[in-house]
């Protein structure tokens, strides 16, 4: 029937309307007339309207604001012909209607409750706007032109879509970096690291107040920036706000939520350490096992059946975004149990896929220690409240710690490296082993934390039109605290890192390292999207 | 100053029949009246929330002075907030390696008697690096604790101690403990001792119900006698437990 109606429409337009090349001006005494078939775009791609244009600490979608700028225009041009008198538009909304709204002027025309509507037909184009309330929305709008008898004259189906919510990865340009401070307490200071980052990053750097945010320095753990894109430059960022809810809990709303930036929390409950977002990381773009991941893959830590994030809803949500298909690695051998503690990715334009994967190797750390003069003093490690190792001989001579580290390498680190290789299709030349080692922490029932400041727990800042800066923890494996040139750990890391990176070894010892975190844990960032998801439909599973 | 006065006031009402380290503690705290400086060192420190979420005293200069340790012990005993008690125990675990021998019995006792398992465990981890005179009674007592995880941690720290061979009989016995965590600890640290005699014991637990035990036993056999590990590896070829797979991979890497 539709086929017949469509043919009839073509026939009528073709016969009665103006044909191609026909001269309107020949019809003396009559208005110029241009026959047209019903036309509408096949596809409207939008962004979820989850930012806060109204700046009321809310989600715009819930505000039903007709003036909101995050809607997508949809223009439907009517059939123009002279043979059948059309009287009615019939519009029907299908699919994920809970997250779809169609507006006409300043009124909601269609939504979850009103999925079908009829309007008086006119020969003027119908200017609608489509509002989306979530990512990964799939819906459609069917538009029919009805004649006076109620029969369908022509119709069009328009796909209404939003894409996935995507998390940033380390190859993308950095727009903003966040850090709490400056903190200038006695024996608890991050001033050196704070000033260093501020100087290098300039206007990209944003400070959060230590006192306003409940002395919570772990800004990596509170929020994860993400983004949604649509054609014509539409972009809405989303700050995922962890259920961790420590002192920094209000920071995303206070400092980030606003036009173009929404804040959302997925999941609920009494958070455990795995709900922190240092335990939610993203690889660069990879292909593995016959599948492309043009936006990278999400990885996070836990262990099925024993210790998992409480916010399971978050991971279900991220899984439903399809493109960055999350996978779990076992991080439960660590005290803090975050994946950012022992592996990361850095840019390298000379690498096959533009990145190197940095991975902790305890044997490498011991090789360096074993090659050092045993009587080298270690002033940063010497006090018992620090690590209680006064010299290199003492730290390398702690055989219990050495055996424990060897076991960690064999029982956890090597299997996880194999898993990462399998999941990401890592090439041998992409993997760069870096020195790192762990100790057993008393307050953590003997679970592991970095004994030498974890240098892979780092911040990558790709400044626009500038180099990639990498901020790493100063390991302080040397006698002179001020002379980084004599630190063999720094020398080894510099040697192994891509040459194009600007490396900055910063002092994170008092506030972060002794608090069981490092540079990455104490910073966070927002980045610029670098690719359009709709150009990678295959990565959405054939959609 | 106020805190010191309160301490002295509390001590004046304390039962008089204390003996051993508790009596020593009373005497040490009484010394605060004549030399308050060591007793006030802790007042200058704030515990911050570590990334793990636990309160932690981070940089605490002065706490390396053993004269400050009685007050730390006192605070641990007096505090009622579990988070603060854990912070005190964690700090104690870090500094007790250089504590005055008068306090060894205190730390050793609390490591197995404190009602809060996290306090016990922080002290047990600290005892690993304590002088053997403190570590031996403390870890042995903890290894007899009714709770399996406490026993498991004690066995682990026995294996990591500089004089771990002193604990060889304890570790060997722990291989047959009723709790799988204890057996896994024992299987793991058995490989750290360098005693080939333990291979026979480890072969006996390769059929353990716990994959952790099987995996660590195989790894430890590999550490003690690689040829024996290669010979028995095929017994576990079909074992899917991740720790067994990891141990098999380790053996295979060496073979290559």
């Amino acid at each position: 029937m539709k086929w017949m109606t469509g043919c009839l429409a073509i026939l009528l337009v073709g016969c009665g309307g103006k044909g191609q090349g026909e001269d309107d001006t020949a019809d003396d005494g009559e208005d110029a007339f241009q026959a047209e078939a019903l036309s509408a775009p096949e596809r409207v791609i939008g962004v979820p309207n989850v930012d806060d244009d109204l700046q009321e600490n809310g989600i715009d979608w819930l505000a039903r604001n007709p003036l909101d700028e995050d809607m997508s225009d949809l223009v439907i041009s009517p059939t123009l012909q002279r043979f059948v008198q059309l009287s009615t538009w019939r519009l029907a909304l299908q699919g994920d209607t809970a997250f779809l709204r169609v507006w006409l002027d300043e009124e909601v025309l269609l939504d979850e409750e009103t999925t079908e509507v009829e309007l008086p037909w006119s020969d003027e184009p119908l200017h609608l706007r489509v509002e989306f309330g979530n990512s990964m929305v799939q819906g459609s709008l069917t538009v029919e032109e009805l004649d006076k008898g109620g029969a369908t004259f022509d119709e069009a189906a328009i796909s209404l879509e939003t894409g996935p919510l995507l998390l940033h990865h380390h190859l993308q340009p950095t727009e903003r970096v966040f850090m709490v401070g400056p903190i200038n307490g006695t024996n608890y200071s991050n001033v050196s690291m704070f000033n260093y980052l501020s100087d290098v990053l300039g206007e990209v750097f944003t400070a959060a107040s230590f006192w306003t945010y409940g002395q919570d320095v772990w800004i990596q753990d509170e929020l994860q920036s993400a983004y949604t894109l649509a054609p014509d430059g539409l972009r809405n960022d989303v700050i995922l706000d962890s259920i961790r809810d420590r002192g920094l809990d209000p920071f995303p709303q206070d400092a980030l939520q606003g036009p173009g930036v929404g804040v959302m929390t997925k999941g609920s409950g009494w958070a455990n350490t795995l709900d922190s977002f240092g335990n939610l990381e993203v690889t660069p773009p990879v292909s593995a096992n016959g599948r492309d991941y043009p936006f990278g893959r999400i990885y996070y830590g836990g262990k099925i059946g024993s210790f998992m994030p409480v916010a399971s809803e978050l991971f279900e949500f991220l899984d439903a975004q399809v493109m960055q298909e999350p996978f779990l690695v076992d991080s439960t051998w660590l005290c803090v149990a975050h994946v950012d503690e022992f592996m990361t990715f850095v840019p390298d334009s000379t690498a096959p896929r533009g990145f190197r994967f940095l991975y902790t190797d305890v044997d490498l750390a011991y090789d360096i220690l074993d090659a050092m003069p045993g009587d080298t003093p270690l002033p940063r490690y010497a006090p018992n409240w620090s690590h209680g190792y006064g010299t290199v001989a003492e730290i390398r001579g702690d055989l219990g710690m050495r055996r424990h580290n060897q076991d960690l390498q064999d029982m956890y680190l090597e299997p996880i490296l194999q898993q990462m290789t399998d999941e990401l299709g890592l090439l041998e030349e992409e993997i760069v082993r870096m020195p790192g080692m762990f100790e057993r922490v008393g307050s953590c029932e003997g679970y592991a934390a970095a004994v030498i400041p974890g240098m892979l727990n780092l911040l990558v800042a790709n400044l626009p039109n500038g180099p990639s800066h990498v901020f790493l923890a100063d390991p302080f494996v040397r006698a002179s605290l001020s002379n980084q040139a004599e630190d063999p750990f720094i020398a080894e890391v510099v040697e192994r890192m891509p040459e194009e990176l600007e490396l900055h070894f910063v002092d994170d010892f008092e506030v972060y390292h002794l608090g069981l975190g490092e540079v990455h844990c104490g910073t966070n960032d927002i980045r610029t999207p670098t690719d359009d998801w709709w150009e990678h439909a295959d990565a959405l599973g054939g959609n | 100053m106020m805190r010191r006065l309160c301490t002295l006031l509390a001590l004046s009402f304390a039962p008089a029949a204390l003996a051993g380290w508790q009596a020593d503690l009373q005497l040490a705290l009484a010394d605060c009246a004549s030399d308050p400086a060591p007793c006030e060192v802790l007042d200058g420190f704030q515990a911050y929330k570590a990334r793990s979420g636990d309160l932690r005293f981070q940089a605490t200069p002065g706490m390396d002075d053993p004269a400050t340790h009685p007050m730390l012990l006192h605070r641990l005993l007096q505090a009622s907030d579990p988070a603060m008690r854990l912070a005190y125990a964690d700090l104690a675990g870090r500094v007790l390696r250089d504590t005055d021998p008068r306090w060894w019995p205190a730390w050793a006792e609390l490591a197995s008697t404190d009602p809060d398992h996290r306090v016990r465990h922080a002290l047990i981890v600290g005892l690993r690096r304590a002088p053997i005179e403190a570590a031996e009674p403390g870890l042995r007592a903890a290894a007899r604790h009714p709770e399996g995880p406490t026993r498991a941690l004690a066995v682990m720290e026995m294996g990591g101690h500089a004089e771990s061979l002193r604990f060889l009989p304890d570790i060997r016995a722990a291989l047959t403990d009723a709790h799988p965590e204890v057996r896994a600890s024992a299987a793991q640290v058995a490989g750290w001792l360098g005693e080939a005699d333990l291979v026979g014991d480890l072969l006996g637990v390769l059929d353990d119900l716990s994959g952790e035990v099987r995996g660590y036993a195989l790894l430890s056999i590999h550490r003690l006698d690689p040829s024996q590990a290669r010979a028995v590896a095929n017994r576990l070829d079909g074992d899917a437990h991740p720790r067994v797979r990891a141990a098999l991979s380790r053996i295979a890497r060496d073979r290559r």
Side-chain angles (χ1 to χ4, degrees):
Chain A
M1 187 60 196
K2 278 185 182 175
W3 178 81
M4 288 186 66
T5 310
C7 289
L8 181 61
I10 292 166
L11 192 64
L12 289 171
V13 171
C15 298
K18 291 253 182 264
Q20 197 170 17
E22 201 169 339
D23 185 2
D24 284 347
T25 58
D27 286 335
D28 282 344
E30 288 191 24
D31 292 339
F33 178 76
Q34 177 70 51
E36 299 285 351
L38 172 66
S39 77
E42 287 182 6
R43 197 177 181 199
V44 173
I45 301 174
V47 290
N49 190 16
V50 293
D51 63 335
D52 185 26
D53 290 331
L54 299 173
Q55 303 196 52
E56 293 176 342
N57 274 353
I59 292 175
D60 286 346
W61 166 257
L62 302 175
R64 289 176 169 259
N65 173 19
L67 304 178
D68 198 287
E69 294 177 353
D70 294 310
M71 299 189 204
S72 299
D73 292 324
L74 168 56
V75 179
I76 300 164
S77 299
T79 302
L80 298 181
Q81 46 75 43
R82 288 176 163 171
F83 297 90
V84 177
Q85 196 166 3
L86 301 176
S87 69
T88 305
W89 290 108
R90 182 194 288 158
L91 287 78
L93 190 63
Q94 293 104 13
D96 300 330
T97 56
F99 298 107
L100 280 168
R101 257 178 227 140
V102 178
W103 292 74
L104 176 62
D105 299 326
E106 297 193 357
E107 299 294 328
V108 174
L109 197 62
L110 294 165
D111 61 8
E112 186 178 23
E113 289 172 2
T114 307
T115 55
E116 190 170 313
V117 70
E118 292 189 352
L119 302 170
W121 186 89
S122 93
D123 58 5
E124 293 298 318
L126 200 52
H127 287 272
L128 304 174
R129 287 180 305 149
V130 184
E131 184 179 15
F132 299 91
N134 203 353
S135 57
M136 297 299 279
V137 169
Q138 286 284 326
S140 67
L141 179 67
T142 306
V143 180
E144 293 174 274
E145 292 177 304
L146 307 182
D147 64 20
K148 280 203 160 179
T152 300
F153 177 76
D154 201 356
E155 65 182 321
I158 304 147
S159 173
L160 309 178
E161 304 167 35
T162 56
L165 182 80
L166 296 166
L167 276 54
H168 297 287
H169 60 72
H170 283 184
L171 303 195
Q172 293 172 320
T174 304
E175 294 179 353
R176 297 180 74 180
V177 170
F178 307 101
M179 178 179 174
V180 174
I183 307 167
N184 197 12
T186 307
N187 309 310
Y188 191 79
S189 168
N190 72 356
V191 170
S192 164
M193 174 175 153
F194 182 94
N195 288 341
Y196 200 108
L197 265 71
S198 174
D199 288 348
V200 173
L201 298 174
E203 60 187 19
V204 167
F205 183 80
T206 300
S209 162
F210 179 61
W211 298 107
T212 302
Y213 295 109
Q215 304 177 43
D216 182 4
V217 299
W218 309 109
I219 201 165
Q220 178 62 222
D221 293 340
E222 185 56 44
L223 60 119
Q224 170 68 50
S225 64
Y227 61 96
T228 60
L229 293 179
D232 302 322
L234 282 178
R235 169 183 171 183
N236 262 350
D237 283 2
V238 172
I239 304 298
L240 293 170
D241 186 358
S242 164
I243 66 166
R244 155 187 188 271
D245 291 352
R246 278 157 66 176
L248 280 161
D249 184 39
F251 177 76
Q253 286 83 1
D254 293 351
L256 300 172
Q257 191 170 35
V261 183
V263 176
M264 84 174 50
T265 297
K266 293 286 181 186
S268 60
W270 191 260
N272 66 41
T273 183
L274 300 176
D275 291 296
S276 294
F277 288 159
N279 191 40
L280 182 67
E281 295 298 313
V282 185
T283 76
V286 292
S287 298
N289 306 312
R291 191 173 158 189
D292 290 334
Y293 300 96
F295 302 90
R297 290 192 71 181
I298 293 168
Y299 58 104
Y300 65 105
K303 186 177 176 185
I304 291 171
S306 70
F307 190 40
M308 289 290 285
V310 170
S312 55
E313 189 183 315
L314 170 68
F315 294 95
E316 288 162 13
F317 172 81
L318 294 173
D319 208 39
Q321 308 306 299
V322 179
M323 277 192 164
Q324 294 181 308
E325 187 187 7
F327 65 96
L328 178 75
V329 301
D330 185 356
S331 61
T332 59
W333 49 280
L334 287 159
C335 165
V336 179
H338 294 177
V339 290
D340 70 353
E341 295 178 77
F342 60 99
M343 57 181 166
T344 193
F345 294 84
V346 292
D348 183 358
S349 59
T350 69
R353 294 186 287 184
F355 67 81
R356 304 283 176 192
F357 174 57
L358 310 184
Y359 200 73
T360 296
D361 190 308
V362 306
D363 295 325
L364 190 51
Y366 275 103
D367 287 347
I368 299 169
L369 287 174
D370 289 342
M372 291 179 74
D375 59 358
T376 307
L378 298 175
R380 270 291 167 103
Y381 296 79
N384 281 325
W385 45 259
S386 170
H387 296 289
Y389 297 107
T391 62
V392 165
E394 287 180 26
I395 194 167
R396 73 188 182 201
D398 183 343
L399 294 183
M401 184 163 73
R402 187 184 284 245
R403 303 282 178 257
H404 178 236
N405 272 278
Q406 289 168 338
D407 282 1
L408 290 178
Q409 189 75 41
D410 287 339
M411 292 305 226
Y412 290 96
L413 286 166
E414 292 300 332
I416 294 168
L417 177 58
Q418 187 59 54
Q419 182 192 0
M420 297 295 286
T421 301
D422 294 344
E423 297 276 13
L424 305 174
L426 291 175
L427 308 170
E428 196 160 325
E429 61 187 298
E430 289 173 330
I431 301 167
V432 181
R433 291 178 181 255
M434 290 287 185
M437 52 192 277
F438 306 91
E439 67 174 354
R440 298 165 57 74
V441 178
S443 59
C444 247
E445 311 201 35
Y447 287 96
V451 58
I452 290 172
M455 288 174 281
L456 301 195
N457 194 332
L458 54 74
L459 168 70
V460 176
N462 307 312
L463 296 187
N465 307 315
S468 290
H469 294 272
V470 176
F471 299 90
L472 322 79
D474 186 334
F476 289 112
V477 188
R478 58 183 185 266
S480 167
L481 298 183
S482 60
N483 187 8
Q484 293 187 336
E486 72 175 44
D487 194 314
F489 274 74
I490 289 180
E492 187 72 30
V493 169
V494 169
E495 178 69 25
R496 288 168 175 263
M497 279 281 199
E499 277 184 25
E500 68 193 45
L501 303 178
E502 289 209 8
L503 306 180
H504 309 278
F505 293 87
V506 296
D507 180 357
D508 77 341
F509 209 91
E510 283 183 351
V511 171
Y512 303 98
H513 175 65
L514 291 178
L516 309 177
E518 310 289 356
V519 174
H520 187 253
C521 321
T523 54
N524 211 318
D525 51 51
I526 293 178
R527 295 172 186 271
T528 308
T530 45
D531 206 352
D532 296 328
W533 64 267
W534 54 92
E535 302 292 342
H536 300 276
D538 50 333
L540 269 175
N543 285 348
Chain B
M1 181 60 82
M2 266 310 287
R3 192 190 292 273
R4 187 158 53 89
L5 288 173
C6 291
T7 301
L8 293 173
L9 195 62
L11 287 170
S12 66
F13 291 103
L18 293 178
W21 64 263
Q22 287 164 316
D24 288 343
L25 180 59
Q26 280 202 39
L27 291 172
L29 294 174
D31 287 346
C32 292
S34 55
D35 183 11
C39 303
E40 293 175 346
V41 167
L42 255 179
D43 296 340
F45 303 128
Q46 183 180 346
Y48 295 98
K49 267 201 173 177
R51 199 183 188 200
S52 58
D54 296 314
L55 287 177
R56 195 161 201 253
F57 291 101
Q58 296 186 197
T60 52
M63 290 308 296
D64 276 6
D65 177 1
T68 63
H69 297 181
M71 184 53 74
L72 178 58
L73 176 57
H74 176 65
R75 293 277 180 86
L76 173 59
L77 294 171
Q78 295 298 308
S80 56
D81 174 16
M84 279 309 296
R85 296 195 75 242
L86 179 60
Y88 288 130
D90 174 72
L91 181 57
R94 286 183 275 154
V95 301
L96 66 78
R97 65 188 68 115
D98 283 333
T99 203
D100 186 312
R102 276 184 301 165
W103 313 119
W104 289 346
W107 302 124
E109 183 179 322
L110 292 172
S112 59
T113 61
D114 195 278
D116 184 336
H117 74 278
R118 297 198 69 193
V119 168
R120 289 197 306 274
H121 293 181
L123 295 173
I124 290 169
V125 170
L127 285 170
R128 181 182 78 81
R129 293 175 65 195
I132 191 66
E133 295 85 349
E136 191 164 16
L139 294 178
R140 283 233 163 89
R144 293 192 296 270
H145 195 274
E147 294 179 18
T150 296
R151 296 201 301 281
L153 194 60
V155 169
M156 180 69 72
E157 306 312 340
M158 286 174 172
H161 195 276
E163 297 192 42
S164 55
L165 282 176
R166 294 272 282 265
F167 298 107
L168 194 149
D170 310 77
I171 291 166
R172 175 175 271 144
L175 283 169
T176 56
D177 192 280
H179 198 289
E181 279 185 46
V182 184
R183 298 197 303 278
S185 282
Q188 180 174 0
V189 301
W192 301 358
L193 303 183
E195 280 295 306
D197 282 359
L198 283 167
V199 169
D201 301 86
L202 291 164
L203 289 170
V205 297
L206 282 181
D207 297 324
D208 197 283
L209 289 176
S210 160
E212 297 281 332
V213 177
R214 297 192 303 275
Y216 278 113
L218 184 58
L219 183 69
S220 287
I221 293 168
H222 173 69
R223 298 224 191 284
L224 297 172
D225 183 350
S227 61
Q228 184 72 258
R230 286 194 293 275
V232 298
N234 62 337
R235 277 173 60 184
L236 296 171
D237 261 354
D239 196 322
H241 192 279
R243 232 57 68 219
V244 176
R245 303 311 310 166
L248 288 169
S249 294
R250 180 70 178 90
I251 293 165
R253 277 202 302 279
D254 273 9
R255 190 176 290 156
R256 282 197 293 270

